[in-house]
Amino acid sequence: MLTIDLNENKQLVITESAKVQTKQGQLLIKVRAAGVNRADLLQRQGNYPPPPGDSPTLGLEVCGEVVAVGEGADGKWQGQQVMALCAGGGYGEYVAVDQGHCLALPPNFSAEQGAGFCEVFLTAFDALRQYPGFGVDHTLLIHGGASGVGTAAIKLAKYFGAKVVATVGSEQKRQACLALGADTVINYRQSDWADTMRAEGLSADVVIDPVAGDYLNSDLKALAQDGKIVILALLGGRYCEQLDVARILQKRASIIGSTLRNRSSEYKSALVKELQHRCEAGMLSGELTPVIDTVYPWEEVEQAHQRLAQNANIGKVILMHK
């Protein structure tokens, strides 16, 4: 089969590889489309290695057809179009995925939307569920509101009846987030977002933060009493100078580090099941569909990575097989 792999110069090239085999409880998916994620860029740089036993091939989410059912998996999946969260390997012609990490492709979803759903919606959903009962009368602050996770978080928070404050780096992205339903969108290049929130009397029950670094102190300023800060990435650096611990105590704040990739298979399966239970109606109505920025042919994977690396995207970047 064909896969996209790294050569010795860390360039992405299409190579011939042995066809992947299913393990206990897995489905073999013929990939139609795959989502591109910032984790792929980090892994390519050597900064985000796959957990032991997972595929070294890039790609954490796909959409495609189940062409084989492994031992112990339910035969009902055979021939179904699915969208799936992968433990690596999504940049391949075929990928083996635990059946619990798959969702039937909703009839109103395109293959591109299916490929762009799982990683960002499950990540955002997992962050929001850290605050039990999050919904009406609550507020989300999401940094990078126009990113894949950001757009998913806006849609989920609005679906649950909450208010949304988002930060972005351009007017185009500000308008995109407002169009998705965000109540307040702040361009951090034009004003200090924490000061703007304070001036407008806004505070956040949940902060989804892929920046970290010195953003943490500002997050704490913007946080409501008993609020939770969920850190997803370290775009602003791994250290926060002079973290204001007094404010953590004052607000009874929780700071939570969250990654999805190294969770157990059982955790991911339970997360998929809960998201389906709570959000299936929104998926079928079209309220909870991923925002697709750009679709690239499989052969243009370098351009896809460049677009994400340049932070030019609004929503998801997708790779599509012919």
Side-chain angles (χ1 to χ4, degrees), residues 83 106 108-109 117 121 152 154-160 275 278-290:
M83 48 192 191
N108 55 311
F109 274 45
F117 181 86
F121 271 88
I154 291 170
K155 287 196 171 192
L156 281 167
K158 297 307 296 182
Y159 184 70
F160 295 146
L275 180 140
R278 294 186 60 188
C279 300
E280 187 172 32
M283 293 156 61
L284 292 172
S285 71
E287 295 172 81
L288 297 178
T289 55

Side-chain angles (χ1 to χ4, degrees), residues 91-114:
Y91 286 18
E93 194 176 4
Y94 296 88
V95 64
V97 179
D98 290 4
Q99 64 176 349
H101 304 171
C102 297
L103 288 161
L105 183 71
N108 55 311
F109 274 45
S110 65
E112 295 92 333
Q113 289 173 316

Side-chain angles (χ1 to χ4, degrees), residues 34-106:
V36 179
N37 292 282
R38 200 163 289 278
D40 303 340
L41 277 63
L42 292 173
Q43 182 176 333
R44 179 180 179 177
Q45 297 163 2
N47 295 325
Y48 195 31
D54 288 349
S55 171
T57 299
L58 302 179
L60 298 177
E61 58 183 343
V62 299
C63 179
E65 180 184 352
V66 176
V67 294
V69 177
E71 184 177 351
D74 194 328
K76 72 175 184 180
W77 292 104
Q78 182 70 44
Q80 281 207 45
Q81 297 292 322
V82 297
M83 48 192 191
L85 185 71
C86 308
Y91 286 18
E93 194 176 4
Y94 296 88
V95 64
V97 179
D98 290 4
Q99 64 176 349
H101 304 171
C102 297
L103 288 161
L105 183 71

